[in-house]
Amino acid sequence: MFWAEKEETVSRDELRSIQTDRLGESVERAGKSPYYRKLYGKHNLKLSIKSLEDIRKFPFTTKDDLRASYPVGMMAVPMDNIVRMHASSGTTGKSTLVFHTIRDIENWSNLVARGLYSAGVRKSDVFQNMMSYGLFTGGLGLHYGAEKIGALVIPIGAGNTQKQIDFFNDMKTTVIHITPSYLLHLGYVLEEKGLAPSKSFSIKIAIMGAEPHSEATRKKLEEIFNIKVYNCYGLSEMNGPGVAFECACQKGLHLWEDHYLAEIINPETGEVLPEGEEGELVLTTLQREGMPIIRYRTKDITKFISGKCKCGRTHRRIARMKGRTDDMFIVKGVNIFPSQIETVLMETPEVDKNYMIVLDRKEGLDILSVQIEIKKDYFRGDLNQLKYLQENLREKLKHVILVTPVIELVEPGSLPSSTGKAQRVIDKRRL
Amino acid sequence: MGKQISIFVENKPGKVNKITGILEKAKINMKAMTIADSGSFGIIKLITDDNEKAFNIFREKNFLVSFQKVVVVEMPDKVGAFHKVAKILEDMDINIEDAYGFIMEEGEKAALILKVAESDIEKVEEILKKNNYRSIENFNV
């Protein structure tokens, strides 16, 4: 049972030849953007692609390169042909933007549809999309894919738990798209209301994305709700969700290789690793028009799973993301870098140089606490002064990281000093 | 003009104990203490017989500590004494931000500590003086 049988079950040989052709086209298309035109010139790159290995001659593209190309430096078609923009938060102020043509949206929707279909989603399903809409790709990406399949889509977005529950009941929702932390929270809320999550609704499938989670968390959630939970991987630079998707076998995520060329590299040396070894995932768009990206370093750590999948799809599978090569962490589905928080703290004169970010989870909800010390010269012995500082920092940080933090004022000397490599993030959550 | 010492503390068991222990060790006599708290943290306010010494010790020991200007006024230890002072300030349209006190001599004398806006302190001391109240600068006598 496939959404696009021919493409999904294409032989490996044929897939390789398709990839080679498309790679040639993609590097050529990318060359029409100011960024890649300059890059190709600088490295004197020959664009004739004869084999997939030729990609290794091209330098990597990083998040910093995207940021430096803000706003339209990587756009490869006239702006007139762009129909959609998405953005993801950056480490410093500026977002990174991604542009789509109408065909890009069509392709993206089809890839998501492939994944949803492989997990068992059908036209008769009621699909409640509990992921944020907006610049973030999670909401709209799955919305378009589920609509493509013909499911009834409820674009409710994240939050407003009571309303979510009302629709579960009234619309007999069968599929939800949700972050693992929100699904955990939902379990607590239902239990508090005296409802048994395993018996209460018609939900049979949860598509889980935006936050890395363990196999143990999946199993736990499947038990609590008596549903099947499938993992969905993506990143805005590569469209968003739907780059790789778990099929009903639940043994790794099929990465759609007719749209993405995947490499796994040693993050330190940049060298491509033998198949099956763990390293950083590097992706090249093969079909995108609006903003082709060559060898994008995702900073996500995974490996290829060898062997054929029982489902019949020939596209290689990647393992659940194991972590990151940088210090990014995810809270409530939002990517956050410690440096974003540090910048705000250091711009606040009352705050001393040591700080600590503590991530915890209460009743399934992520809590981000920032512990700070007050500079001695700023302390006036006034409680209101401290409360105002707390409030002010909370608002400033919320503006930058899009998550409301808890600001904890602690006594001088309670936090590890900044000499050497102090650990600034403690993650007490277990996902 | 009097002074109180304000110390920042996290709202955790043993914090007051730590502070009183430091005072005892330094042989500083604590006259009054009050705590203002805001959930996870608070401020302990102290009046001692040697505020300078106490301040320096807390600062040395890495506490977040500061002096605050307050009005310390001596008044009789009897019914209605505070009310009289409060009335005088009300007539002057002075807002009392914080107030606490302690007995100096049972049935005779009490000390009242008043926190008012810094710009009002001089005015308050003057009017209290006019009404025959004595302001206490320090208790180190």
Side-chain angles (χ1 to χ4, degrees), chain A residues 374-377 379-383 386-387 390 408-414, chain B residues 6-10 15 36-38 41-43 59 62-66 68:
Chain A
I374 312 283
K375 258 191 210 148
K376 286 188 177 141
D377 299 341
F379 179 65
R380 296 199 308 260
D382 181 356
L383 201 60
L386 301 182
K387 282 199 272 194
Q390 227 179 355
E408 287 179 31
L409 308 186
V410 300
E411 289 169 19
S414 338
Chain B
S6 299
I7 305 170
F8 172 85
V9 283
E10 288 170 48
K15 294 295 179 189
D37 102 289
S38 167
F41 63 86
I43 290 175
R59 175 140 269 203
N62 203 23
F63 279 84
L64 201 54
V65 60
S66 85
Q68 282 193 304

Side-chain angles (χ1 to χ4, degrees), chain A residues 127-145:
Chain A
F127 183 92
Q128 192 160 327
N129 197 7
M130 302 168 70
M131 200 70 88
S132 302
Y133 280 72
L135 289 172
F136 173 61
T137 54
L140 280 169
L142 271 275
H143 179 111
Y144 273 59

Side-chain angles (χ1 to χ4, degrees), chain A residues 24 32 167 172 211 233 240 251 298 323 330 415:
Chain A
K32 295 193 173 112
F167 286 144
K172 306 271 177 295
E211 291 170 359
Y233 171 77
K251 293 235 159 60
T298 65
I330 301 179
L415 300 174

Side-chain angles (χ1 to χ4, degrees), chain B residues 3 5 8 12 17 19 24 33 47 54 59 69 72 81 96 99 105 107 111 113-114 118 124 127-128 135-136 140-141:
Chain B
K3 275 178 179 175
I5 299 169
F8 172 85
K12 284 181 185 163
N17 178 40
I19 284 169
E24 186 196 9
M33 172 192 264
I47 302 271
R59 175 140 269 203
K69 292 173 186 167
V72 185
I96 300 175
E105 223 174 292
I113 296 115
L114 292 170
E118 219 175 298
V124 169
I127 189 76
L128 289 175
S135 287
I136 304 169
N140 198 9
V141 233

Side-chain angles (χ1 to χ4, degrees), chain A residues 171-331:
Chain A
M171 293 309 299
K172 306 271 177 295
T173 299
T174 53
V175 183
I176 56 175
H177 175 220
I178 190 167
T179 62
S181 55
Y182 193 22
L183 191 54
L184 273 170
H185 174 69
L186 192 64
Y188 286 102
V189 173
L190 293 173
E191 268 164 26
E192 246 169 47
K193 290 178 188 290
L195 297 167
S198 61
K199 292 178 191 145
S200 304
F201 310 110
S202 315
I203 302 167
K204 40 176 197 161
I205 293 171
I207 307 298
M208 230 154 57
E211 291 170 359
H213 53 281
S214 65
E215 188 61 36
T217 299
R218 182 238 293 276
K219 290 231 165 75
K220 185 177 160 195
L221 287 166
E222 287 192 327
E223 263 170 46
I224 292 175
F225 287 89
N226 190 24
I227 54 173
K228 284 281 176 192
V229 172
Y230 298 98
N231 194 359
C232 166
Y233 171 77
L235 55 158
S236 66
E237 294 82 357
M238 291 289 129
N239 290 347
V243 172
F245 221 107
E246 243 174 9
C247 67
C249 302
Q250 293 184 318
K251 293 235 159 60
L253 300 89
H254 291 281
L255 193 144
W256 304 121
E257 293 182 273
D258 54 340
H259 284 258
Y260 303 99
L261 179 65
E263 302 167 89
I264 304 252
I265 64 159
N266 175 331
E268 258 127 59
T269 62
E271 154 209 19
V272 177
L273 293 170
E275 178 131 353
E277 272 186 40
E278 198 173 80
E280 181 181 341
L281 180 65
V282 170
L283 294 169
T284 299
T285 62
L286 293 178
Q287 296 251 57
R288 201 156 66 186
E289 298 174 336
M291 188 166 152
I293 300 181
I294 310 299
R295 303 194 92 193
Y296 185 69
R297 293 193 62 158
T298 65
K299 306 218 167 169
D300 287 316
I301 296 171
T302 185
K303 62 181 179 191
F304 283 117
I305 297 171
S306 52
K308 283 183 183 160
C309 184
K310 280 187 189 146
C311 75
R313 288 174 185 81
T314 49
H315 298 242
R316 279 182 299 177
R317 289 164 295 161
I318 51 170
R320 211 173 260 296
M321 294 301 141
K322 202 181 168 193
R324 300 269 309 171
T325 62
D326 59 12
D327 52 5
M328 188 190 90
F329 55 86
I330 301 179
V331 173

Side-chain angles (χ1 to χ4, degrees), chain A residues 71-72 75 82 84-85 97-101 104 288 290-291:
Chain A
V72 295
M75 197 187 279
I82 299 294
R84 174 99 66 83
M85 181 191 99
L97 309 183
V98 181
F99 299 98
H100 304 271
T101 64
D104 292 337
R288 201 156 66 186
M291 188 166 152

Side-chain angles (χ1 to χ4, degrees), chain B residues 111-135:
Chain B
L112 174 65
I113 296 115
L114 292 170
K115 172 86 175 62
V116 296
E118 219 175 298
S119 51
D120 286 338
I121 288 181
E122 234 169 272
K123 218 170 20 169
V124 169
E125 288 189 330
E126 228 164 81
I127 189 76
L128 289 175
K129 199 175 167 191
K130 268 189 196 155
N131 285 276
N132 293 320
Y133 288 95
R134 184 175 78 95
S135 287

